[in-house]
Amino acid sequence: MLEPDIVKDQEISDLIQDVHQVYGYDFSMYSRASFKRRINRICLIDKLTSFAELRYKVLHDADYLKRFVEEITVNVTEMFRDPQFFKALREKIIPQLGTYPLIRIWIAGCSTGEEAYSIAILLKEAGLYQKSLIYATDINPSVLETARAGVFPLNQMKIYSENYILSGGKEDFSGYYTANYDSVRFDDSLKSKLILSTHNLVSDGSFNSFQLIICRNVLIYFDKKLQERVFNLFDESMDNLGFLALGSKETLRFAAIQNHYQQISEQKIWKKVEP
């Protein structure tokens, strides 16, 4: 079985180049240390005996490529994760968004959609959902299918409900979903303003203008050059006086666009200031 330190840097580089040339997925500016850890994890879990075996499977088995992309791009998520962040949105940001005739929000790297449904609930409770559009994007089509279905494990609802209450939620959280055996299905009304689509932060451009962009715990997997590219993409996609929300370990400090933004919350929320 492959050991965690057996993959050579040059082999990683060759695989990244092959995947880009054959499939168009560009992982060249992902954090190399993070990418290498995930490559080793895949090999260990799938009991691959050599790196060459992994490379062959990725390049010749379309189903395995799908699994490979899922493992490389996976982000741990849950509804109302970091409740104080959602409380800041609820109390400080959502009321300001309510002054717009149409609210456009982009959740970049949405994974399986828990964050998108959380934002939908915030907007619904503020009476703003019907004049909102939530664009939730991810590089991985498989996780978007989960998000589109809105079906999540029942055993997650206890922590989701606790997070919701800590975020300032006052309703009965169970009213937003229907339980069925060991899973729940979130209400279709939460999907009516939700637009799910693939988008690659590495290579794709801006596709709209937004008042709020949320990208949490994605940039930590990118190297500095790719982070700068993504920050520029967000800046191009942001309305003046719009808001950018990042993860707890991410920051605009030292970014080229930092002077365009003012941090307004310790929960890693910035506001775009007029030039």
Side-chain angles (χ1 to χ4, degrees), residues 188-230:
D188 284 344
S189 67
L190 296 174
K191 305 178 190 178
S192 63
K193 299 295 183 177
L194 180 58
I195 300 168
L196 292 151
S197 64
T198 55
H199 183 275
N200 188 340
L201 290 171
V202 176
S203 58
D204 294 343
S206 175
F207 59 92
N208 213 321
S209 182
F210 300 94
Q211 290 89 40
L212 172 61
I213 298 176
I214 301 172
C215 184
R216 302 171 70 220
N217 306 312
V218 175
L219 297 174
I220 54 175
Y221 299 112
F222 296 168
D223 68 14
K224 182 67 175 176
K225 183 177 179 182
L226 181 51
Q227 287 178 7
E228 285 290 346
R229 187 204 181 285
V230 174

Side-chain angles (χ1 to χ4, degrees), residues 34-83:
S34 175
F35 190 89
K36 190 173 182 178
R37 281 195 304 272
R38 293 190 177 197
I39 288 290
N40 279 303
R41 181 175 181 274
I42 293 169
C43 292
L44 288 167
I45 290 173
D46 294 348
K47 297 181 171 61
L48 301 179
T49 58
S50 68
F51 184 76
E53 186 179 358
L54 170 70
R55 185 178 181 186
Y56 182 86
K57 286 176 72 67
V58 167
L59 295 180
H60 296 90
D61 184 339
D63 289 335
Y64 196 79
L65 170 75
K66 184 177 175 181
R67 164 166 170 67
F68 173 83
V69 172
E70 287 176 0
E71 286 292 331
I72 295 299
T73 61
V74 66
N75 290 300
V76 177
T77 185
E78 61 187 36
M79 292 192 70
F80 295 94
R81 185 182 187 189
D82 301 325

